[in-house]
Amino acid sequence: MPNPAEESYYIGIDVGTGSVRASLVSKSGKVVASSTQATKTWRDPLDHRVFEQSTTDIWAGAGKVIKACLQSSGVDPSAVKGLGFDATCSLAVTDFDGVPVVVTKGENLGRHGERNIILWADHRAEEEADLINSTGSIVLDYVGGTMSLEMEIPKILWLKNNMDPALFSKCQFFDLPDFLTYQATKDSSRSCCSLTCKCSYVPKSGWQKDFFKQIGLQELTERDYAQVGVKEGEEVLIAGMPVGNGLSKKAAEELGLAPGTPVGSALIDAYAGWLGTVAARYKENGVLSNVIPSVEESGHRLAAVAGTSTCHIVQSPEGIFVDGVWGPYKDPIIHGWWMNEGGQSSTGQLIDFILTNHPAYPELVKIGKEKQKNIHAILQDILDSLQAEQGLESLLELTKDLHMYPDLHGNRSPIADPRMRGSIVGLELDNSLINLAKHYHATLLAIALQTRHIVDTLNNAGHKITSIYMSGGQAKNAELMQLFANVCSMPVVLPLDSGGAVVLGAAMLGRFAAEAGSRGREGQAERLWDIMVEMTPPGNMVSPNATPKEKKILEAKYKIFLETIDIQTRWRKEMEDAFN
């Protein structure tokens, strides 16, 4: 067992869409122990837009996974020198004592109760987002020109419009990462990442009083923004900066750690994925590059954090405005640097949907159990067999007449239109397992084509992306990663632990907090980048390998992908005109 007298450890807590995970990490970045606990999500059977969770459930899960890590590793709590959190960009609502407030529409809305998180994927605030997007406010300039209904201000406005005003006035609102540091320390300091990326806090000028008045949220300004935690002109914490005095006595007992353990200012989960991947060296054909990456090199590396959805994050020394892409955000992670964030609202969720709704899915599951093999591997075996049987040069030939557009849950980037919907062209009267395998491959290709659409949009606006650094569950899918490389014509670097990169980023925040002392912003960029380089294990590079024929097919597929967007937009207008 590790000797705590000889080693310092850091804990990262990652709150994803369906689980909370903890990793106990050494100073070198080695994961000593890890544990995961599922979390609850409530849906409204009458409204598919609604997704709700509970901070009580999530915090209890955090305690379980931290204690499990300590128990399995034998590390004493006193050896844990810092703690960092990341979470989905979901809206958590409590009263001013931190007691959860219900966000479910109905008679209990605004009263104390468990269901107090509007999940990121929740799309109830469409009308509120439309109002915000009609204002022409400067806040829109920093979200690609269009605010997503997945962000926090539309959701807060929805609560204002549906809640008893007396109850609304008692609420405080957190982006979920900031709630976790509040729960840990009882200090309500907010992170630059959450405020600028999801809460309409404008770089350099802060809160926009006229904007809040214009959309009907003047209460926030009248109370000097107490409900959102940062007064006008007050300091916002940059990634990893210590929050308050560290773990409170109560939180320390709940998490099984020592009181006063430093807590780093939190990040949204995708940004923690950037933190845990982009400083990696990489192996190409088994040979490790001897080049130590600089922070300047990070501007050429796109972090793609792929789980239920996928986020695409790239850094630049100056702010770059990109239509349909969130940002530019100043200082969300590295002091003095700007970031843009693209995204696909549904990727892992899309793959699951296509599989589980096909008539052959039960047969696929049965075969997987019989062979004790992952169902994605079964599908890939089927595709490889079909290619060999038909003597085809490429799998792309199997789906040459099957075209999918992937926005079943709306488009986040670069169209920024939640009303976009998915489509499949080339359906056959075939419900076989072979047909399911073809649909699976078409889905992977659609995700890759949309990734290229986002990368092209970023580069056309002024970014200089030359590689993609993956994290999340989809990085385990070898066929999808090769499609990314071939479709985007650039290498893809896969982390040593694809599922652990995000929580590793959170642990880095804990280390920074432990070592920061009272230096604040001074030297933050250099110190945090050094920690990233030291703690990020080498990744493996997947290089583009498309043949000339495959390149020609992929170019045709991409042209059709873009045409599909134009067709859907035109059809929707024609139907709207017909109803007017």
Side-chain angles (χ1 to χ4, degrees):
M1 287 189 177
N3 184 348
E6 299 177 355
E7 181 68 276
S8 295
Y9 298 91
Y10 309 93
I11 289 181
I13 298 291
D14 167 43
V15 179
T17 299
S19 65
V20 54
R21 176 176 181 172
S23 283
L24 180 67
V25 182
S26 72
K27 200 169 186 177
S28 66
K30 180 181 178 181
V31 176
V32 177
S34 190
S35 178
T36 303
Q37 173 80 22
T39 53
K40 292 186 288 187
T41 299
W42 288 269
R43 301 294 307 276
D44 184 339
L46 302 179
D47 189 347
H48 72 278
R49 303 173 303 170
V50 173
F51 295 76
E52 296 172 352
Q53 293 186 334
S54 162
T55 57
T56 303
D57 174 56
I58 288 170
W59 188 252
K64 290 177 182 177
V65 293
I66 289 175
K67 291 173 182 176
C69 285
L70 295 174
Q71 183 175 7
S72 65
S73 67
V75 169
D76 190 272
S78 63
V80 177
K81 304 303 182 183
L83 179 67
F85 293 93
D86 76 77
T88 64
C89 49
S90 302
L91 182 70
V93 186
T94 73
D95 65 16
F96 279 86
D97 293 320
V99 179
V101 169
V102 172
V103 297
T104 309
K105 190 171 184 178
E107 61 182 13
N108 290 323
L109 179 64
R111 304 186 187 281
H112 291 157
E114 185 177 16
R115 292 167 61 170
N116 71 317
I117 295 175
I118 303 180
L119 193 66
W120 66 267
D122 189 290
H123 280 194
R124 72 182 71 179
E126 184 172 332
E127 291 183 10
E128 288 75 12
D130 286 344
L131 170 63
I132 289 168
N133 288 320
S134 71
T135 62
S137 170
I138 188 176
V139 303
L140 301 177
D141 295 343
Y142 291 88
V143 289
T146 304
M147 184 173 293
S148 170
L149 76 177
E150 294 179 1
M151 292 184 172
E152 309 306 10
I153 299 304
K155 292 172 180 174
I156 293 173
L157 183 56
W158 183 92
L159 291 171
K160 159 76 184 299
N161 291 339
N162 289 275
M163 191 184 292
D164 181 333
L167 297 176
F168 183 82
S169 68
K170 297 177 182 178
C171 294
Q172 58 175 337
F173 306 102
F174 298 88
D175 194 41
L176 184 55
D178 287 346
F179 169 81
L180 295 171
T181 59
Y182 167 76
Q183 186 76 354
T185 66
K186 282 308 170 191
D187 186 296
S188 63
S189 297
R190 305 302 171 95
S191 66
C192 188
C193 185
S194 283
L195 289 196
T196 60
C197 298
K198 305 301 173 186
C199 300
S200 302
Y201 192 84
V202 174
K204 298 183 179 179
S205 59
W207 299 119
Q208 302 299 302
K209 184 175 183 179
D210 291 344
F211 165 69
F212 287 116
K213 183 177 180 181
Q214 192 174 3
I215 65 172
L217 279 176
Q218 59 273 11
E219 290 97 330
L220 300 186
T221 67
E222 291 167 355
R223 300 174 66 180
D224 198 12
Y225 307 100
Q227 290 180 277
V228 286
V230 176
K231 296 179 180 179
E232 195 164 10
E234 194 171 40
E235 182 181 59
V236 179
L237 299 182
I238 299 178
M241 290 176 64
V243 180
N245 296 314
L247 280 182
S248 69
K249 183 178 179 181
K250 181 175 184 293
E253 292 173 353
E254 293 167 340
L255 301 181
L257 296 170
T261 301
V263 175
S265 182
L267 291 174
I268 296 163
D269 52 357
Y271 289 78
W274 182 94
L275 195 69
T277 55
V278 299
R281 297 161 67 191
Y282 55 83
K283 295 178 182 178
E284 187 173 9
N285 298 322
V287 179
L288 179 63
S289 167
N290 59 7
V291 177
I292 305 298
S294 66
V295 68
E296 287 73 23
E297 169 62 21
S298 70
H300 304 298
R301 299 179 172 190
L302 177 80
V305 187
T308 304
S309 64
T310 299
C311 298
H312 309 80
I313 298 173
V314 62
Q315 181 165 265
S316 57
E318 303 292 338
I320 298 175
F321 292 84
V322 187
D323 288 343
V325 175
W326 297 342
Y329 303 129
K330 191 174 187 298
D331 298 340
I333 302 182
I334 301 285
H335 183 43
W337 285 72
W338 298 71
M339 284 182 157
N340 285 96
E341 178 188 352
Q344 295 160 284
S345 289
S346 181
T347 51
Q349 186 181 42
L350 172 65
I351 296 169
D352 290 343
F353 181 87
I354 294 298
L355 296 184
T356 58
N357 282 277
H358 194 283
Y361 181 69
E363 181 183 355
L364 174 64
V365 173
K366 180 181 177 183
I367 294 172
K369 289 180 179 178
E370 290 172 352
K371 294 187 175 182
Q372 295 186 330
K373 199 170 183 179
N374 181 282
I375 59 173
H376 298 92
I378 299 288
L379 291 169
Q380 194 59 48
D381 288 345
I382 294 171
L383 291 166
D384 292 339
S385 295
L386 286 171
Q387 180 184 348
E389 290 169 7
Q390 298 180 29
L392 303 177
E393 180 182 322
S394 168
L395 288 178
L396 296 171
E397 296 177 61
L398 285 173
T399 56
K400 68 182 181 69
D401 295 318
L402 185 62
H403 308 290
M404 169 179 279
Y405 183 75
D407 283 334
L408 275 67
H409 197 55
N411 182 274
R412 189 185 299 171
S413 301
I415 306 169
D417 185 348
R419 292 176 290 271
M420 292 295 290
R421 291 295 177 260
S423 64
I424 302 177
V425 176
L427 292 173
E428 301 174 281
L429 285 173
D430 184 356
N431 61 6
S432 69
L433 195 56
I434 288 176
N435 182 262
L436 173 54
K438 291 180 178 179
H439 281 226
Y440 168 70
H441 187 266
T443 304
L444 300 187
L445 180 57
I447 293 169
L449 290 168
Q450 190 166 64
T451 301
R452 175 178 169 181
H453 193 199
I454 293 168
V455 172
D456 284 357
T457 301
L458 288 164
N459 280 344
N460 290 338
H463 285 285
K464 297 178 181 178
I465 298 164
T466 58
S467 58
I468 299 173
Y469 280 64
M470 294 296 304
S471 61
Q474 291 173 44
K476 298 176 183 179
N477 189 318
E479 176 64 20
L480 179 59
M481 294 301 98
Q482 192 62 64
L483 281 171
F484 271 40
N486 290 349
V487 170
C488 298
S489 299
M490 60 181 62
V492 175
V493 177
L494 308 179
L496 179 66
D497 177 7
S498 58
V502 174
V503 73
L504 173 63
M508 292 176 184
L509 299 173
R511 176 175 169 186
F512 184 89
E515 297 177 357
S518 59
R519 288 179 288 180
R521 285 171 162 74
E522 182 185 350
Q524 187 262 5
E526 294 79 10
R527 287 184 287 120
L528 184 56
W529 184 259
D530 287 345
I531 287 172
M532 293 166 62
V533 170
E534 184 177 350
M535 295 183 70
T536 308
N540 290 304
M541 177 177 284
V542 178
S543 298
N545 66 359
T547 65
K549 182 176 181 179
E550 287 175 321
K551 289 180 181 178
K552 190 173 180 180
I553 295 171
L554 290 173
E555 285 302 316
K557 283 282 189 178
Y558 187 54
K559 181 181 178 183
I560 292 168
F561 177 89
L562 297 178
E563 287 176 353
T564 304
I565 297 170
D566 294 337
I567 290 169
Q568 181 174 163
T569 303
R570 177 167 54 81
W571 284 359
R572 187 169 44 181
K573 185 177 185 307
E574 289 177 359
M575 292 307 302
E576 289 171 352
D577 290 345
F579 276 84
N580 290 329

